[in-house]
Amino acid sequence: MKELWNHFFGMGWEALGKTIPGICAFLLNRETETYLADPDFLSVLDLDTASDYTTVYREVERIKNGGEQAVNLLPLQWDDRLCVDYIFLKVHQEAGKIKLDNLHRLNELLDSNRFSYHFQPIVNAKGGSVFAYEALMRTDATVNMSPIQVLDAARDASRLYDVEKATLFNTLQVVRENPDIFESRKLFVNSLPGHPLTAEDWSLLEESFGPQMNKVVIEVTEQGQLDEERLHTMQQRIRKMGMELAIDDYGTGYSNTANLLRYQPDCVKIDRQLIDRINEKTNVQKLVSGLIDFFHQNGYLALAEGVETYEELKTMIRLGADLIQGYYTCKPQAFLTPCIPEALVEQIVQINLTYASENRVYRPEEGEVVEMDSLAARHYNTLLIDKQQVTLVGTPGKEVYCTISVKNDTAASVVMRNVSIYNPEQESPVIQLGDNSSLRLVLEGDNHILKRGIWVPETASFTLEGSGDLEIVSEMPDCYAIGTGSESSHGSILLKSTGIVKLVAKGGVATAVGGGKNAGRKSVRILSGQLTAECYGGNCVFFGCQQDLGKVYVQDASVQCLAHTNKTVGIGSMGGDVEVEMKNAYLHFQASCSLFCGFGSLSGGGNVTVNHCDAHITSNTNECYCIGSDGGSVSCDVRNSKLELICECDYATAIGDRHGSGNVTVIDTWIDFVAHCKAYTKIFTQSGTLVTEGIGGTLLELA
């Protein structure tokens, strides 16, 4: 009986009267001699809730045949095939009548799929081209319901899932039917994330529209406060199919930054309430400017929604919006327009030429060659990379204020040809990789990254290639050239360019390549080229990690380093363990500091392997540990190499550890150890094993 009720009313039988005020219902089945009724319905019959079937049936028959209360009863539907004799709804309020009418129309809309859609262009704020469309729900004339009415009725009838399913299938059909339009454009589709498709329906969607799904941007409001499980499912589905995510109505109501970071969207739509007459509201301009700044720092596009006047358009472009949507640029239409009027395009171009904003973001197209001089002339100072291939071309020797952000989950290849870029902002990198992103930077000509470095977070990977040259000069209190600061874990870093790479790091804590931590056990690999590095300031690690695992591999490369710091580690870790391997490499390290470790860790454990290397270490320090550690447990394995170790200090160790427990093996290696020291140890371990064989060279002790 309850199944029949749900068939007709689409909700639990007890819920109807509570959900739709003014309506109560009754269902009677003659075959089984059972009935279900809202208590309010039985009160109309002057019966109590304990009345038996015969009593209820007799009273219903009396009213049906013209009883005095028949005027208050409205037959909804009946079905002899299902043995349902009567289904009545009692309507006793005007609001109930309206809701009942909407319920009828909703069922017709969903059961017959009588949806239609209008499309509002979303315009690129830098040039006026149509970037995407938003699909806006409409219904045909026989149903004639507004989107709000549809959603309200579906909520009352527990059919929001059916709306979500119909929306996704219908809009993807639009994409499939218009391949030329969507070749370079996307479709924003409003979604109800609280009612996700079942695994079965989602599989059917993938099977039916897989090739089209990467053209869709799923648009949600964060007010739904999805739990972690539903959010994770949504994100997995979106990323798997190459779709994107947009947050709607941001900036008012329930918006909060923590929730935004949970969602990790590709695009954020600024609520139209903020944009309304924004040209007249200085305080709102400051708020929106800050929001756009935050979006760009996290790799999100900023979309200005509800732009209805020229002044609003001008203000939003000045504040740095990436995308524009609103009646001013184009109203929703029943067809997909490929462009907005030429006069509007010209307006957008002129506004861009007029205003120089601190928040101007340029988003290159796939395969685009970006002229850096032209970009600067148009007052863009941030590149947002979300494509696979982009080329940047500059003028040799000409510096341009520009930062580069690689979007989350993006695998990008960027060619830099004679590019010199800088960022004067404190603590902000020149190039920032997003979470789960990868950047392959290919060098051509002479390139410079100045003031700040390249940020490579734990989940990202960075590769340096090409035959060109690169100089990175990073100056900040917590300094890095390639990697992360002292409190963050670095990602995978691979340097295999064949040109000359020069890294300069100046700061209280300085890391040339690597980071402060290494929670993901990521590696720094140097596989070719000529690499020079300089560190100035407090505690310096050239290649590796400040306080965690230093995992470094060097092969077929020339590495020369100079340090003027407090404490310095050449290759390894300042305070953590190490996994260091060097093979077929030329290594030259010169340090002037209080405490220096060439290859290894000052206090950690692990392994250092040196094989077929030509290594030179010159130190002017209080204490120097050329290869090994100071009271740690670093095992050293040196073979088939040539070492020149010149130490001017109070105490020096050539290989091993005077206090530590690491094993030491030195085989077929030439060692020139010149110790201008009060005390020194040549090859030693306190409690590990010591193996030496085929050692040549000289040992000079100079007072």
Side-chain angles (χ1 to χ4, degrees):
M1 198 66 178
K2 290 183 180 180
E3 286 76 8
L4 287 175
W5 182 286
N6 294 337
H7 171 79
F8 287 111
F9 299 120
M11 63 185 70
W13 76 274
E14 303 93 337
L16 185 62
K18 297 176 183 177
T19 306
I20 310 180
I23 293 179
C24 56
F26 168 85
L27 184 150
L28 181 145
N29 189 330
R30 288 184 300 170
E31 185 177 84
T32 60
E33 294 191 349
T34 56
Y35 73 89
L36 283 177
D38 188 297
D40 287 344
F41 189 91
L42 291 176
S43 70
V44 174
L45 306 180
D46 293 326
L47 298 174
D48 61 42
T49 56
S51 299
D52 60 19
Y53 169 81
T54 302
T55 302
V56 173
Y57 177 77
R58 185 184 303 115
E59 185 63 17
V60 169
E61 281 289 302
R62 185 182 68 79
I63 293 177
K64 176 187 173 187
N65 293 323
E68 59 184 17
Q69 302 209 40
V71 69
N72 292 325
L73 300 177
L74 174 68
L76 176 63
Q77 55 184 318
W78 50 89
D79 190 331
D80 290 334
R81 180 175 57 84
L82 293 173
C83 302
V84 179
D85 206 5
Y86 306 115
I87 303 174
F88 287 109
L89 291 178
K90 172 180 172 287
V91 181
H92 54 80
Q93 291 180 9
E94 186 63 29
K97 292 180 181 179
I98 294 172
K99 285 183 176 287
L100 178 60
D101 179 58
N102 286 345
L103 182 62
H104 276 298
R105 290 191 287 165
L106 175 73
N107 289 335
E108 182 180 354
L109 171 68
L110 290 171
D111 296 342
S112 302
N113 194 18
R114 294 192 175 180
F115 289 97
S116 61
Y117 299 89
H118 280 197
F119 305 93
Q120 186 171 32
I122 295 171
V123 177
N124 193 313
K126 70 174 183 284
S129 61
V130 175
F131 171 81
Y133 307 88
E134 181 177 358
L136 301 168
M137 179 197 301
R138 299 291 187 268
T139 62
D140 70 15
T142 61
V143 175
N144 192 28
M145 297 177 72
S146 71
I148 296 298
Q149 288 176 318
V150 170
L151 293 175
D152 285 346
R155 188 176 295 108
D156 290 340
S158 297
R159 297 198 69 179
L160 286 173
Y161 179 90
D162 297 324
V163 174
E164 174 77 353
K165 180 178 178 180
T167 299
L168 290 172
F169 277 82
N170 290 342
T171 52
L172 278 163
Q173 181 65 26
V174 171
V175 176
R176 181 158 65 187
E177 292 173 353
N178 297 274
D180 293 340
I181 287 287
F182 289 104
E183 182 178 1
S184 58
R185 301 179 182 90
K186 295 183 180 293
L187 185 65
F188 281 58
V189 177
N190 288 280
S191 176
L192 303 169
H195 301 270
L197 297 192
T198 64
E200 181 180 1
D201 281 341
W202 185 264
S203 295
L204 179 60
L205 190 74
E206 289 185 4
E207 182 181 336
S208 303
F209 300 104
Q212 289 78 40
M213 292 178 77
N214 65 353
K215 300 297 183 181
V216 168
V217 180
I218 296 296
E219 184 175 327
V220 302
T221 174
E222 45 141 15
Q223 295 180 13
Q225 295 288 322
L226 289 183
D227 59 40
E228 290 301 325
E229 183 178 354
R230 284 187 176 179
L231 177 60
H232 180 67
T233 298
M234 180 180 71
Q235 290 173 330
Q236 273 195 322
R237 287 177 170 182
I238 287 174
R239 302 309 180 200
K240 175 188 174 185
M241 300 310 296
M243 306 165 82
E244 294 184 359
L245 177 65
I247 297 295
D248 195 13
D249 301 332
Y250 190 83
T252 60
Y254 294 94
S255 299
N256 70 76
T257 302
N259 219 27
L260 188 64
L261 294 172
R262 286 178 63 233
Y263 278 74
Q264 286 295 307
D266 300 281
C267 178
V268 182
K269 301 181 78 170
I270 302 170
D271 191 274
R272 65 186 65 198
Q273 294 182 45
L274 291 176
I275 293 172
D276 181 35
R277 297 167 58 197
I278 189 173
N279 51 292
E280 303 173 8
K281 304 172 183 177
T282 305
N283 58 334
V284 178
Q285 291 177 30
K286 291 179 180 179
L287 170 63
V288 170
S289 176
L291 288 176
I292 292 174
D293 231 357
F294 175 77
F295 299 159
H296 289 163
Q297 289 172 11
N298 288 277
Y300 315 149
L301 290 177
L303 190 157
E305 187 176 26
V307 175
E308 298 189 353
T309 68
Y310 171 75
E311 293 300 328
E312 290 171 358
L313 173 70
K314 185 166 64 172
T315 302
M316 291 311 301
I317 291 177
R318 177 173 61 83
L319 295 179
D322 305 294
L323 303 170
I324 303 293
Q325 181 181 359
Y327 277 19
Y328 186 78
T329 51
C330 192
K331 294 181 179 180
Q333 302 179 84
F335 58 92
L336 294 157
T337 179
C339 59
I340 62 174
E342 188 60 36
L344 281 173
V345 174
E346 182 61 27
Q347 279 187 354
I348 291 172
V349 171
Q350 288 302 317
I351 292 170
N352 277 278
L353 292 174
T354 301
Y355 288 106
S357 166
E358 295 180 357
N359 303 302
R360 297 293 303 282
V361 177
Y362 187 85
R363 188 185 192 192
E365 299 296 330
E366 178 64 45
E368 183 175 350
V369 177
V370 179
E371 299 286 346
M372 300 303 293
D373 290 353
S374 173
L375 201 71
R378 289 181 287 157
H379 310 298
Y380 288 100
N381 50 32
T382 297
L383 286 170
L384 178 59
I385 305 294
D386 62 354
K387 300 296 187 293
Q388 293 182 355
Q389 181 68 54
V390 175
T391 298
L392 310 180
V393 179
T395 300
K398 184 175 181 179
E399 297 178 5
V400 174
Y401 170 24
C402 185
T403 63
I404 299 173
S405 293
V406 180
K407 197 173 179 180
N408 295 344
D409 304 297
T410 296
S413 178
V414 175
V415 176
M416 289 182 65
R417 185 181 307 140
N418 297 318
V419 171
S420 295
I421 54 178
Y422 70 93
N423 180 16
E425 296 183 14
Q426 190 79 346
E427 305 298 336
S428 297
V430 176
I431 299 178
Q432 179 166 333
L433 277 67
D435 292 335
N436 301 306
S437 70
S438 64
L439 174 62
R440 175 176 169 263
L441 189 61
V442 182
L443 303 175
E444 297 180 3
D446 186 24
N447 302 276
H448 301 266
I449 296 173
L450 306 173
K451 302 295 186 182
R452 307 290 178 260
I454 301 174
W455 179 268
V456 186
E458 178 184 346
T459 59
S461 62
F462 173 79
T463 301
L464 189 68
E465 297 184 9
S467 58
D469 298 337
L470 173 65
E471 178 189 39
I472 301 177
V473 179
S474 181
E475 304 174 76
M476 52 202 301
D478 192 355
C479 180
Y480 53 88
I482 302 174
T484 61
S486 62
E487 296 302 319
S488 300
S489 291
H490 69 83
S492 297
I493 300 171
L494 170 60
L495 309 181
K496 59 175 184 177
S497 62
T498 57
I500 298 173
V501 176
K502 181 178 180 180
L503 309 175
V504 180
K506 301 178 180 180
V509 179
T511 306
V513 182
K517 300 178 182 179
N518 191 5
R521 299 182 65 85
K522 301 300 177 64
S523 62
V524 172
R525 292 181 293 160
I526 305 169
L527 300 187
S528 63
Q530 301 178 57
L531 184 62
T532 66
E534 298 176 10
C535 281
Y536 303 90
N539 295 339
C540 165
V541 174
F542 280 105
F543 307 100
C545 197
Q546 292 283 344
Q547 50 184 304
D548 209 340
L549 175 67
K551 191 174 182 180
V552 186
Y553 182 79
V554 183
Q555 180 175 343
D556 300 325
S558 171
V559 180
Q560 301 184 62
C561 298
L562 172 66
H564 291 280
T565 60
N566 179 32
K567 297 179 182 180
T568 301
V569 172
I571 299 177
S573 177
M574 185 74 69
D577 293 344
V578 295
E579 294 179 19
V580 173
E581 183 177 355
M582 295 166 286
K583 184 177 181 180
N584 298 326
Y586 174 80
L587 308 161
H588 191 155
F589 287 76
Q590 183 175 346
S592 178
C593 53
S594 63
L595 183 59
F596 175 68
C597 176
F599 313 138
S601 172
L602 288 178
S603 58
N607 300 279
V608 174
T609 300
V610 182
N611 195 353
H612 287 92
C613 291
D614 186 357
H616 302 258
I617 291 177
T618 302
S619 67
N620 184 353
T621 63
N622 292 332
E623 296 183 36
C624 174
Y625 305 88
C626 296
I627 303 175
S629 65
D630 176 23
S633 56
V634 175
S635 293
C636 305
D637 191 319
V638 182
R639 300 170 187 260
N640 306 301
S641 296
K642 177 182 177 182
L643 307 180
E644 182 184 66
L645 312 175
I646 301 175
C647 303
E648 296 185 18
C649 50
D650 292 336
Y651 177 80
T653 295
I655 302 173
D657 191 334
R658 59 174 170 170
H659 300 130
S661 59
N663 300 323
V664 176
T665 300
V666 183
I667 296 176
D668 297 334
T669 293
W670 183 275
I671 303 175
D672 286 332
F673 181 39
V674 180
H676 298 265
C677 305
K678 295 179 180 178
Y680 70 91
T681 302
K682 184 178 179 183
I683 303 174
F684 187 77
T685 175
Q686 180 72 32
S687 56
T689 61
L690 178 62
V691 177
T692 59
E693 180 181 325
I695 297 177
T698 59
L699 170 64
L700 298 177
E701 177 186 357
L702 303 177

